[in-house]
């Protein structure tokens, strides 16, 4: 519950960083929309589609670097403390 609450507060700060063609783990976006966009791109003449599976990303990412990026956008000390409690380094 705590993770979800923190996510709902900080997610809008990062949403502007994503491109319009990003569908994974985004509000109001889903796999069906990604497939539909891929079909539109094919019909428009594009020949390459990039599909990146994030399934294992967070197992491999350097959490120190990831948290530094979060800290650069989130300035609320209480929120940062909650994040650190969830992700001990």
């Amino acid at each position: 519950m705590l993770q979800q609450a923190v996510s709902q507060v900080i997610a809008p700060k990062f949403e502007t960083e994503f491109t319009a063609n990003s569908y994974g783990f985004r509000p109001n976006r889903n796999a069906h929309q990604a497939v539909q966009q891929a079909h539109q791109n094919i019909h428009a003449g594009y020949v390459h589609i990039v599909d990146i599976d994030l399934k294992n990303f967070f197992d491999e990412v350097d959490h120190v670097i990831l948290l530094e990026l979060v800290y650069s956008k989130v300035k609320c000390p209480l929120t940062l403390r909650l994040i650190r409690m969830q992700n001990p380094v």
Side-chain angles (χ1 to χ4, degrees), residues 51-57:
D51 176 26
I52 300 172
D53 185 0
L54 295 175
K55 181 178 178 184
N56 294 320
F57 171 76

Side-chain angles (χ1 to χ4, degrees), residues 27-42:
N28 304 313
R29 292 182 176 246
N30 59 50
H32 296 290
Q33 292 169 320
V35 170
Q36 183 179 26
Q37 183 63 53
H39 282 277
Q40 290 173 5
N41 291 347
I42 290 167

